[in-house]
Amino acid sequence: MVGAVLALAIGDKEIAAVWYWPIGLLALSMISFIVGLERCGEAMDEDDVDKFLAWLLVYNSGSVLMFFGIATYIGMHYHVSWILLVIILIVAFVASLKWLRDICFLIFATDADSEEYREELLGNRPPQKQLDSVMLLYEFCRKMHRRKVKEPHMPDTKCYTRLRPSQIHGVGVFAIRNVPKGVNIFSDDKSEMIWIDKEMIQTKLGEVRRLYDDFCVLSNQKYGCPAGFNNLTIGWYINEPLEGQEPNVVCNGDYDFFAAREILAGEELTVDYSTFSDTPPTGQ
């Protein structure tokens, strides 16, 4: 599309006096698209994440330049007033917001957010969905359709696991059916998680204190706990793998657990506590 608009602009006598603005923006856009796409493809072949991110920045810049190039060409071709030209440029800005946000993330993201994104690209952690307006509209339509056609719900529909005695530590979580890679294992667990200052837990003693040490997440000097220990769901019982073994489950920033690989029925689920807790729980 950029090439077609560029071809129109080059032969357009209406913009002869200010041809360099639209043609310059569109030419830079096309170059950014072509080179960025080619280099991103090379980076994927070479499995080089840093190279991919660098040229993804160039590719996204080409998208932004395209919108502003088209807006500038329209304004100058029809000789619109400065006020109308500003409005057209604002529309181009709004249309390119997604790519502008991506550019800002690639340049200004914190080391932690950047590393998390790199791990997602490498396949070491499940990607977090970013819902845009089209996806939200699609989800709304699907939800309205499901209201009309209610399917019978069985309690085992999203159940992949159960508790059993563990050879690793006490009680563990075991797969009762094959769990595909990337599945949110406890997706229907809607139990609430609350955060309590570490200082408040220091006053607890004996077996009560052990509940916090055995089960809770510690992050930023706060304990992440179930709303009540009588409400412990199955996910709170996942053990760490034995030394030298790789965990088959990963935890994201929302404390959802995903299958890091296909988990076969009968396998115990394990996760690296240090990936989501400052001081890992002592075990279940």
Side-chain angles (χ1 to χ4, degrees):
M1 185 177 75
V2 179
V5 179
L6 181 59
L8 285 173
I10 290 174
D12 193 338
K13 296 180 180 179
E14 296 292 330
I15 64 169
V18 286
W19 62 269
Y20 43 84
W21 280 112
I23 291 178
L25 290 170
L26 290 168
L28 283 174
S29 172
M30 189 165 67
I31 292 170
S32 299
F33 272 137
I34 294 172
V35 179
L37 188 61
E38 181 183 354
R39 293 293 187 270
C40 282
E42 289 179 1
M44 293 176 67
D45 291 338
E46 298 166 4
D47 203 19
D48 188 337
V49 174
D50 294 322
K51 180 177 179 180
F52 176 82
L53 292 175
W55 285 102
L56 182 61
L57 178 61
V58 175
Y59 182 84
N60 285 335
S61 299
S63 300
V64 176
L65 290 169
M66 175 190 71
F67 284 107
F68 281 95
I70 293 174
T72 305
Y73 173 62
I74 291 173
M76 294 182 175
H77 174 79
Y78 292 103
H79 303 289
V80 300
S81 65
W82 281 105
I83 295 176
L84 187 54
L85 179 60
V86 169
I87 293 173
I88 294 173
L89 291 173
I90 291 173
V91 172
F93 173 79
V94 173
S96 61
L97 268 180
K98 177 188 180 301
W99 292 273
L100 286 168
R101 289 196 195 101
D102 290 344
I103 290 170
C104 289
F105 177 82
L106 290 170
I107 297 175
F108 302 113
T110 63
D111 290 343
D113 288 341
S114 180
E115 184 61 26
E116 183 176 317
Y117 184 51
R118 291 179 80 261
E119 289 297 306
E120 289 179 7
L121 292 175
L122 290 169
N124 296 333
R125 63 181 300 146
Q128 298 186 29
K129 285 186 177 180
Q130 296 181 349
L131 297 179
D132 56 29
S133 56
V134 175
M135 293 175 68
L136 289 171
L137 178 61
Y138 172 74
E139 289 293 333
F140 174 76
C141 294
R142 291 292 301 166
K143 189 178 293 184
M144 296 301 294
H145 174 71
R146 284 194 292 268
R147 284 185 179 179
K148 295 179 181 179
V149 185
K150 289 189 176 180
E151 299 178 357
H153 175 76
M154 298 297 291
D156 65 289
T157 300
K158 296 183 179 180
C159 180
Y160 291 98
T161 60
R162 64 168 299 166
L163 298 178
R164 287 180 184 165
S166 169
Q167 293 183 354
I168 297 175
H169 188 286
V171 174
V173 180
F174 289 79
I176 59 173
R177 60 179 67 162
N178 292 347
V179 186
K181 179 180 178 180
V183 163
N184 186 345
I185 301 167
F186 309 111
S187 60
D188 58 349
D189 182 354
K190 306 302 180 185
S191 58
E192 183 182 1
M193 190 173 180
I194 61 174
W195 293 90
I196 302 173
D197 288 335
K198 184 178 180 180
E199 290 76 11
M200 297 180 65
I201 309 301
Q202 304 300 330
T203 62
K204 306 293 183 181
L205 301 173
E207 289 298 317
V208 174
R209 173 60 186 272
R210 283 191 61 189
L211 284 173
Y212 291 92
D213 292 335
D214 285 353
F215 289 101
C216 297
V217 174
L218 181 61
S219 179
N220 297 322
Q221 299 300 305
K222 290 180 181 290
Y223 277 84
C225 318
F229 284 109
N230 288 333
N231 299 326
L232 283 171
T233 53
I234 194 168
W236 292 91
Y237 290 87
I238 296 183
N239 285 319
E240 280 200 296
L242 294 171
E243 186 175 354
Q245 294 183 353
E246 290 292 325
N248 51 23
V249 173
V250 293
C251 180
N252 70 3
D254 295 322
Y255 300 99
D256 293 323
F257 293 98
F258 294 83
R261 59 168 174 80
E262 182 181 14
I263 304 172
L264 301 180
E267 281 191 77
E268 180 172 1
L269 276 64
T270 58
V271 68
D272 182 355
Y273 291 159
S274 67
T275 60
F276 59 89
S277 180
D278 294 342
T279 302
T282 56
Q284 283 72 47

